[in-house]
Amino acid sequence: MKPLVAIVGRPNVGKSMLFNKLIGQRLSIVEDTPGVTRDRIYGESEWCGRKFRLVDTGGIEPRTDDQILSFMREQAEIAIQHADVIIFLTDVKTGLTASDQEVANMLLRSRKPIVLAVNKMDSVGAPNPDYYEFYNLGFDEVMPISSVHGHGTGDPVAVSAVHGHGTGDLLDACVAYFPDEEEAEEESDVLKVAIIGKPNVGKSSLLNRVLGEERVIVSNIAGTTRDSVDADVDNAHGKFTFIDTAGIRKKSKVDEKIEKFSVMRSLLAVERADVCVIMIDATEGVTEQDTKIAGLVHEAGKAAVIVVNKWDAVENKETNTMRDMETKVRQGLSYMLYAPVLFLSALTGQRVDRLFQVIQDVHAQNTSRITTGALNSVLADATARVQPPTDKGRRLKIFYMTQASTKPPHFVIFCNDARLFHFSYQRYLENQIRAVFGLTGTPIKITIRQKGDKEDV
Ligand code: GDP
Ligand code: GDP
């Protein structure tokens, strides 16, 4: 897993501008899903040969001046839960504020590696004297000793997101805290599962169900207003870690702000997960928010299981009720026809035990590797059965197909002219691959290359 760097800071300090500078290029996605803002707040980049992931925790906030502090607390909490390194961004123009101080304390208590950055240091040469004020946050005293892996200095890093000054120093400081590459790449046999869905769909109930008697709390993160907990399950179906996605529980009704944060929490949980369980409320059907949340999973290329919860609460069920409901769910989430749909009740426990096996199945598909030989014999059969298309007398010729990577399975097809490779023919080949290799429960990615294209994929 590539290290995750999170940018935290007050509104208007320049988080999104810095994010864009550090990412530089747009994230490549499996397929466009309308309405999903993932690529504005989450992306991947590389510095000094180290690939990393970057998230702007403020990227989906409404711009309001009130509640800045509670906003920042939630951002910081999300970052503490998920990030390997946190960039705490401040603004030399406004100087050090009380909320900066408060959030800095919270971040420091978490004992996560934190890099303090002072933005809007636009002029080169002698630094703006206001910069020195940021030493008052005390990072230079705490960071060198509190970090787990790193050896940072804790000095505030002067940057100008607008001009790009200092971003190299900033990334150097982040990379110093990254875990060793081997450590980061280590594959484990524990499946990471994120149960996601809108508030009140039944995530906590399902989590409690699957944990049952085996509840083991693995991580308590200090310094947060609510402890975030990932939970381990070890049973006949395998070993699983369920990533906490419930977030802060407010007594009042869920407001818009919380909803945005629940998308952020979902996003980061999805990124960490091997398999995502997307929960839909049977009594409501697929809502717009469900479509967005499921879109995050699809765009991330993760294996997915759709769970229709509260099946017990659906009245007057008849023979076709389940089938009709499945059809509606599929229409609502039409971009992920590959995901199995499971009807259950977290409340009564009905069919919950089947979930583990389905999770294992979709994970196996998401990580499967198919030999080049097998792929090319399927390709030969498929092109013999349905001839590749022609355009103005020129016929598409497909030379070769190979699998480039997994999670999700990514296939590269080499041909004479990519323009002749119509979407419908690509769909046809995709369906052939899915059918022959049993890849029915995972997104797959296909890249078309033509003669003369660069080799790298
Ligand atoms: P966010 O709310 O933290 O994401 O902040 P934005 O990235 O939206 O930036 C807020 C404002 O600060 C915008 O008007 C930016 O143009 C400005 N800004 C961001 N970075 C810099 C910088 O390095 N120098 C200056 N002078 N302005 C900046
Ligand atoms: P979360 O916000 O997604 O974590 O949802 P909760 O697990 O807190 O559940 C929200 C409400 O839905 C609670 O009142 C639950 O008792 C109820 N609930 C959860 N699962 C089911 C279910 O399968 N059937 C019924 N009838 N109610 C459920």
Side-chain angles (χ1 to χ4, degrees):
M1 188 61 117
K2 296 168 202 125
L4 179 71
V5 178
I7 307 174
V8 172
R10 268 186 296 118
N12 281 318
V13 294
K15 293 184 298 301
S16 58
M17 195 159 277
L18 180 66
F19 174 85
N20 288 332
K21 260 283 178 296
L22 297 183
I23 288 299
Q25 85 235 13
R26 283 172 68 85
L27 174 77
S28 75
I29 51 176
V30 175
E31 214 171 87
D32 269 336
T33 322
V36 181
T37 54
R38 181 177 183 268
D39 55 350
R40 279 205 299 114
I41 57 172
Y42 179 89
E44 299 192 353
S45 193
E46 194 174 331
W47 181 252
C48 293
R50 286 300 304 268
K51 292 201 168 79
F52 63 94
R53 303 170 296 139
L54 185 69
V55 63
D56 171 7
T57 61
I60 45 177
E61 72 201 33
R63 298 217 175 253
T64 52
D65 281 345
D66 56 337
Q67 298 181 307
I68 285 185
L69 191 57
S70 72
F71 236 96
M72 290 176 74
R73 278 212 191 93
E74 292 209 43
Q75 278 182 34
E77 231 178 82
I78 292 172
I80 289 168
Q81 187 188 356
H82 295 283
D84 297 287
V85 181
I86 298 170
I87 295 175
F88 181 48
L89 193 64
T90 56
D91 175 346
V92 77
K93 292 202 164 153
T94 52
L96 197 53
T97 69
S99 40
D100 285 338
Q101 186 73 58
E102 179 115 2
V103 175
N105 290 341
M106 183 175 160
L107 291 174
L108 287 173
R109 275 200 305 274
S110 76
R111 307 188 71 79
K112 280 262 169 169
I114 301 157
V115 177
L116 170 63
V118 182
N119 190 31
K120 309 195 186 176
M121 298 281 290
D122 298 337
S123 55
V124 281
N128 183 335
D130 294 338
Y131 157 83
Y132 295 101
E133 190 189 0
F134 290 91
Y135 276 96
N136 290 330
L137 289 174
F139 280 77
D140 55 324
E141 283 157 36
V142 187
M143 278 328 291
I145 44 170
S146 71
S147 63
V148 198
H149 308 283
H151 28 73
T153 62
D155 289 326
V157 183
V159 297
S160 167
V162 153
H163 298 116
H165 305 154
T167 51
D169 293 343
L170 180 62
L171 289 174
D172 282 344
C174 292
V175 170
Y177 289 118
F178 284 179
D180 293 338
E181 215 146 355
E182 302 84 65
E183 208 181 308
E185 290 305 314
E186 213 167 85
E187 291 281 327
S188 94
D189 60 343
V190 182
L191 268 189
K192 291 201 281 305
V193 183
I195 300 179
I196 61 166
K198 64 190 175 198
N200 281 320
V201 70
K203 297 182 294 298
S204 315
S205 307
L206 182 60
L207 189 60
N208 285 333
R209 266 288 159 199
V210 298
L211 295 184
E213 293 302 302
E214 301 171 85
R215 174 154 207 155
V216 185
I217 291 168
V218 290
S219 64
N220 267 327
I221 297 166
T224 54
T225 48
R226 169 196 169 277
D227 289 344
S228 300
V229 177
D230 288 350
D232 286 352
V233 175
D234 187 347
N235 64 20
H237 301 280
K239 292 185 194 151
F240 305 86
T241 295
F242 286 86
I243 299 168
D244 181 28
T245 48
I248 296 175
R249 291 269 142 190
K250 288 271 149 72
K251 270 168 248 114
S252 58
K253 278 303 275 178
V254 174
D255 61 22
E256 189 204 6
K257 186 189 79 157
I258 301 296
E259 232 166 71
K260 303 242 177 189
F261 277 113
S262 90
V263 172
M264 171 71 72
R265 284 182 191 279
S266 302
L267 172 79
L268 292 177
V270 164
E271 292 300 334
R272 266 171 71 203
D274 297 306
V275 177
C276 299
V277 173
I278 300 162
M279 291 186 83
I280 308 288
D281 189 327
T283 62
E284 293 179 25
V286 176
T287 65
E288 201 187 320
Q289 206 183 348
D290 294 330
T291 314
K292 278 193 185 151
I293 290 174
L296 297 174
V297 178
H298 178 69
E299 290 205 352
K302 300 286 177 170
V305 179
I306 299 168
V307 157
V308 180
N309 188 38
K310 309 195 186 179
W311 192 239
D312 62 288
V314 175
E315 285 164 8
N316 306 324
K317 287 193 276 271
E318 289 165 22
T319 332
N320 292 335
T321 311
M322 198 182 272
R323 206 192 57 198
D324 294 347
M325 182 87 193
E326 176 166 351
T327 308
K328 282 204 200 113
V329 168
R330 295 238 173 258
Q331 278 164 359
L333 306 176
S334 58
Y335 48 81
M336 49 180 9
L337 292 175
Y338 50 81
V341 180
L342 195 59
F343 292 79
L344 56 77
S345 166
L347 191 69
T348 67
Q350 186 192 16
R351 278 190 291 271
V352 169
D353 54 336
R354 287 194 38 203
L355 184 59
F356 290 104
Q357 192 53 52
V358 179
I359 288 172
Q360 285 288 10
D361 291 346
V362 294
H363 178 253
Q365 295 183 22
N366 192 240
T367 52
S368 62
R369 266 190 194 284
I370 298 163
T371 64
T372 303
L375 281 172
N376 285 292
S377 83
V378 168
L379 186 63
D381 284 352
T383 49
R385 208 170 314 125
V386 179
Q387 286 242 315
T390 54
D391 190 23
K392 299 193 185 82
R394 201 166 137 76
R395 185 174 295 281
L396 172 68
K397 286 201 198 89
I398 302 174
F399 304 125
Y400 184 73
M401 169 154 70
T402 188
Q403 183 174 355
S405 57
T406 63
K407 292 187 179 183
H410 176 194
F411 303 100
V412 184
I413 303 180
F414 296 86
C415 68
N416 60 337
D417 186 347
R419 280 169 308 180
L420 296 170
F421 218 128
H422 296 305
F423 181 72
S424 59
Y425 201 73
Q426 194 177 318
R427 236 321 120 78
Y428 162 71
L429 284 183
E430 176 178 332
N431 290 338
Q432 294 297 307
I433 296 167
R434 284 185 182 282
V436 174
F437 300 108
L439 294 180
T440 49
T442 175
I444 67 179
K445 187 177 159 186
I446 292 179
T447 304
I448 311 289
R449 298 240 159 258
Q450 64 182 18
K451 269 203 291 210
D453 276 356
K454 280 202 300 211
E455 278 299 308
D456 58 285
V457 275

